[in-house]
Amino acid sequence: MPTTPPVKPSAQALAAHVTPGTPRSQAKENRRQALLTAAAALFALHGFNRVSLEDLGAAAGVSGPAVYRHFQGKQAVLGDLLLTVSRELLDGGRRVIAETTDPLAALRRLVGFQVEFALGKPDVIRVQDRDFSNLSQKDQSEVRTLQRNYVEIWVEVLSLLHPGTDAIELRMRAHAAFGLINSTPHSIRNHGRKIAHKTARPLLESMAMAALTVEVPEAP
């Protein structure tokens, strides 16, 4: 029986195929990251609804229509931004507990990790706080799941430092620490004069550790 000769791919098909790790794929990833960075800054400054795809493209150095090569639309940009950050936090938290056996040392590393994130990405925190409702329902659900899992890492460590304490109280401690850490970079920036990271970091870490480790007196 005669066999059908293999179909030789066209030059266009070969050109369209991008092998991971090639200069072309790296350039594409760089443009995607530039769009996400621009989105964080613009959404934080103006709000999601007041930023257009043309604004995003201009800030990242590409045309508005070129954004569609990387994202299906503006909502997809917001989703990728918040999902990426949520995954980074969860992965970072998991690394801490995998590498640190002492619970107090693990808590210090978690606090330092969260402080570094807050000082390094204040725009993303503001976007999360203000524009979460603009995510698709699917992305909202996934972000919430990732963030709940991140909180539970903190609860697991805190339970070793406060044995017998109800998990609800431990979650409250964790969320209180997040509020302290995440809100401070905004309050500094919004009041004009910025405090240097080398000054802010140890202050935030010390305050967060104090809040997380304080012993609560028994009710009379």
Side-chain angles (χ1 to χ4, degrees):
M1 177 181 295
T3 58
T4 303
V7 177
K8 190 174 183 178
S10 65
Q12 290 86 354
L14 289 172
H17 178 72
V18 179
T19 304
T22 64
R24 182 176 176 181
S25 66
Q26 187 59 55
K28 184 175 182 179
E29 177 60 20
N30 290 344
R31 284 192 294 273
R32 176 182 165 276
Q33 290 298 331
L35 284 165
L36 291 176
T37 300
L42 291 175
F43 292 163
L45 184 61
H46 303 294
F48 174 81
N49 291 319
R50 297 179 63 186
V51 176
S52 68
L53 280 177
E54 287 70 23
D55 296 329
L56 288 177
V62 300
S63 66
V67 177
Y68 286 105
R69 297 175 188 169
H70 306 275
F71 302 99
Q72 293 182 347
K74 190 173 69 167
Q75 190 181 53
V77 177
L78 178 64
D80 200 335
L81 176 66
L82 296 185
L83 283 168
T84 296
V85 168
S86 298
R87 292 180 186 121
E88 287 175 353
L89 286 172
L90 180 56
D91 290 344
R94 285 172 172 167
R95 280 196 301 273
V96 167
I97 61 172
E99 298 169 358
T100 315
T101 56
D102 177 68
L104 186 59
L107 185 62
R108 287 198 182 98
R109 284 191 60 187
L110 285 173
V111 167
F113 175 65
Q114 185 67 32
V115 168
E116 186 65 27
F117 166 73
L119 292 176
K121 298 184 177 180
D123 287 340
V124 176
I125 294 173
R126 187 168 185 180
V127 172
Q128 158 79 26
D129 291 343
R130 186 171 60 189
D131 290 315
F132 181 83
S133 62
N134 287 306
L135 289 171
S136 69
Q137 290 298 315
K138 178 179 179 296
D139 285 347
Q140 285 187 31
S141 177
E142 187 171 352
V143 168
R144 286 194 181 103
T145 298
L146 291 166
Q147 292 178 349
R148 280 197 297 268
N149 290 339
Y150 180 57
V151 172
E152 291 309 303
I153 288 174
W154 288 64
V155 171
E156 179 182 342
V157 173
L158 288 169
S159 68
L160 299 174
L161 295 171
H162 302 281
T165 302
D166 192 278
I168 294 175
E169 179 183 319
L170 298 178
R171 290 189 190 96
M172 185 176 70
R173 285 182 184 248
H175 282 291
F178 296 154
L180 184 157
I181 294 169
N182 293 348
S183 65
T184 304
H186 294 299
S187 63
I188 293 169
R189 183 178 61 181
N190 290 342
H191 286 84
R193 193 164 63 90
K194 292 181 66 175
I195 185 171
H197 283 196
K198 66 179 180 179
T199 302
R201 183 176 291 107
L203 178 60
L204 287 173
E205 290 177 355
S206 298
M207 293 173 67
M209 284 297 297
L212 290 163
T213 57
V214 65
E215 295 295 335
V216 180
E218 294 184 5

